[in-house]
């Protein structure tokens, strides 16, 4: 049981760790100290739902609908291109620091953006439905449940750690120049991910 839970935790944590669109968004919200709890909770709960679905065997959905991955890739790429453009525009415009940037997005808008990053990202389905679902087949019964709980707990630890841990970087983000660099880097990440999705579509 403990070994299965540890395997689930380590597997999920390793998959989430890569810097992607969702993680970049959580990091930015953490730096802004804007809706951090709700953003982290939505990310973690979304992962929990997908991990549970993968372990329960619903990864066959993709096999039943072969058009789904391409449609999701195109929709995700379009969103990433637009969001990247918004961050690039913010980087070029500059003029804001951490103190005056906190009111840039309402809770509703932030949650919608967060949900879009999560549910229109084809890679999250590969990681949760396919990969974690496949790894979980090595366990049976209670051990498989322990694997799932370990994987879900990894999502909560990672997202809340990222969201609230970002505050440690706050002293570095007091200047408008630092925000221009951050927004520019996020824009490049978004465009790179969009290019990858379009190439695989």
């Amino acid at each position: 049981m403990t070994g299965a839970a540890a395997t689930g935790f380590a597997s999920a944590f390793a998959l989430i760790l890569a810097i992607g669109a969702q993680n970049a968004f959580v990091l930015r919200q953490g730096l802004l100290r804007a809706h951090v709890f709700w953003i982290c909770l939505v990310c973690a709960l979304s992962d929990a739902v997908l991990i549970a679905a993968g372990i329960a065997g619903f990864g066959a959905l993709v096999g039943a609908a072969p058009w789904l991955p391409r449609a999701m890739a195109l929709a995700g790429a379009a969103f990433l291109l637009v969001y990247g453009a918004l961050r690039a525009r913010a980087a070029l415009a500059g003029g804001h620091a951490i103190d005056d940037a906190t009111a840039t997005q309402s809770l509703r808008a932030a949650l919608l953006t967060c949900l879009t990053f999560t549910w229109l990202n084809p890679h999250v389905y590969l990681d949760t439905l396919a990969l974690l679902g496949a790894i979980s087949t090595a366990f049976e019964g209670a051990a498989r449940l322990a694997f799932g709980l370990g994987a879900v707990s990894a999502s909560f630890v990672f997202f809340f750690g990222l969201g609230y841990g970002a505050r440690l970087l706050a002293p570095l983000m007091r200047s408008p120049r630092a925000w221009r660099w951050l927004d520019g880097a996020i824009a490049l990440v978004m465009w790179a991910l969009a290019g990858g999705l379009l190439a695989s579509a």
Side-chain angles (χ1 to χ4, degrees):
M1 291 282 288
T2 303
T7 301
F9 185 95
S11 300
F13 199 89
L15 291 172
I16 301 169
L17 192 59
I19 295 298
Q22 185 188 47
N23 294 352
F25 179 72
V26 174
L27 175 64
R28 188 173 191 276
Q29 293 298 118
L31 286 168
L32 293 173
R33 301 190 182 190
H35 319 303
V36 178
F37 174 81
W38 295 109
I39 293 297
C40 294
L41 183 63
V42 165
C43 288
L45 287 177
S46 295
D47 260 16
V49 170
L50 290 167
I51 289 169
I55 291 174
F58 290 112
L61 175 64
V62 174
W67 53 268
L68 188 59
R70 186 170 190 272
M72 290 174 54
L74 292 175
F79 177 77
L80 291 173
L81 287 171
V82 172
Y83 190 81
L86 293 175
R87 297 274 51 86
R89 185 175 68 177
L92 292 173
H96 70 271
I98 197 168
D99 292 327
D100 59 8
T102 55
T104 56
Q105 204 172 34
S106 67
L107 174 60
R108 180 182 179 185
L111 291 178
L112 287 174
T113 302
C114 181
L115 288 168
T116 303
F117 276 132
T118 301
W119 293 92
L120 282 184
N121 177 12
H123 295 295
V124 76
Y125 295 94
L126 174 64
D127 291 347
T128 55
L129 292 179
L131 296 179
L132 290 178
I135 296 171
S136 72
T137 59
F139 303 97
E140 295 291 341
R144 195 171 188 185
L145 176 60
F147 174 90
L149 292 175
V152 168
S153 65
S155 291
F156 277 85
V157 169
F158 177 82
F159 285 116
F160 279 93
L162 179 62
Y164 286 101
R167 297 182 179 188
L168 299 175
L169 299 176
L172 301 176
M173 303 302 296
R174 293 290 177 187
S175 71
R177 176 179 294 182
W179 274 100
R180 294 182 74 170
W181 279 102
L182 177 65
D183 282 331
I186 290 176
L188 292 177
V189 169
M190 300 302 166
W191 288 337
L193 292 170
L197 289 178
L198 290 174
S200 64

